[in-house]
């Protein structure tokens, strides 16, 4: 049984988390206030995108445009991968269409569904990865992370 976007939204509602369902994009957005992560607009907010992918057989959470890749894409990506390595479920992916690096977590569901506890664990992992990544970006960027704001 594949999971639908509606079922995913229901899990968020059950967990008491405010969210926005974008039926046109087939995605759900959730906003978290962060301690040190700064998004491309210069706000201490992580705007996560949730999707039921692979025909509902996978659950994917991304933080699109999380960090600017800068001119040294490979070394920036490697530094972020090292920072995020200790965060379960989270990984860094380059996005060639935007020239940025995004954070991603994906769970295969196969014939099952995702529980509210699993949803919140994945959301927490992405936010934690963003916090860890921000300290790396601040250390390697001459503007202290301001380069990420220029990518938006």
């Amino acid at each position: 049984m594949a999971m639908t976007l509606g079922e995913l939204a229901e899990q968020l509602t059950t967990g008491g988390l405010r969210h926005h369902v974008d039926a046109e994009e087939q995605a759900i957005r959730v906003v978290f206030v962060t301690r040190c992560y700064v998004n491309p607009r210069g706000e201490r907010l992580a705007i996560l995108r949730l999707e039921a992918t692979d025909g509902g057989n996978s659950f994917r959470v991304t933080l699109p445009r999380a960090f600017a890749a800068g001119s040294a894409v490979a070394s920036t990506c490697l530094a972020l991968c090292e920072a995020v390595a200790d965060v379960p479920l989270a990984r860094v992916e380059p996005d060639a269409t935007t020239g940025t690096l995004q954070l991603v977590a994906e769970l295969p569901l196969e014939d099952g569904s995702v529980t509210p506890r699993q949803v919140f664990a994945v959301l927490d992992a992405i936010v934690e990865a963003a916090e860890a990544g921000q300290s790396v970006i601040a250390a390697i960027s001459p503007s202290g992370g301001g380069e990420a704001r220029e990518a938006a």
Side-chain angles (χ1 to χ4, degrees):
M1 179 177 145
M3 182 171 201
T4 66
L5 198 63
E7 291 169 331
L8 186 52
E10 190 175 308
Q11 296 288 11
L12 295 170
T13 300
T14 299
L17 190 62
R18 288 182 55 192
H19 57 280
H20 170 73
V21 178
D22 187 334
E24 187 175 308
E25 286 194 27
Q26 287 294 293
I28 299 170
R29 288 198 173 54
V30 179
V31 179
F32 288 91
V33 176
T34 58
R35 290 183 311 276
C36 61
Y37 171 73
V38 179
N39 70 20
R41 290 189 237 165
E43 306 160 322
R44 289 193 189 274
L45 298 174
I47 304 170
L48 279 53
R49 177 185 169 99
L50 293 73
E51 302 171 275
T53 58
D54 189 27
N57 292 315
S58 291
F59 162 61
R60 180 178 169 98
V61 177
T62 58
L63 177 52
R65 299 177 184 203
F67 302 103
S71 57
V73 177
S75 62
T76 302
C77 189
L78 178 61
L80 284 170
C81 285
E82 289 171 349
V84 171
D86 291 334
V87 180
L89 304 172
R91 69 177 187 265
V92 178
E93 282 185 1
D95 184 344
T97 60
T98 63
T100 61
L101 300 168
Q102 63 182 359
L103 296 171
V104 178
E106 207 161 2
L107 291 178
L109 303 174
E110 300 303 327
D111 294 332
S113 185
V114 67
T115 66
R117 191 173 194 166
Q118 289 172 311
V119 171
F120 286 96
V122 173
L123 296 174
D124 286 345
I126 293 297
V127 173
E128 184 180 340
E131 298 284 17
Q134 184 65 40
S135 62
V136 168
I137 291 297
I140 63 175
S141 171
S143 62
E147 187 176 334
R149 288 187 275 285
E150 295 169 14

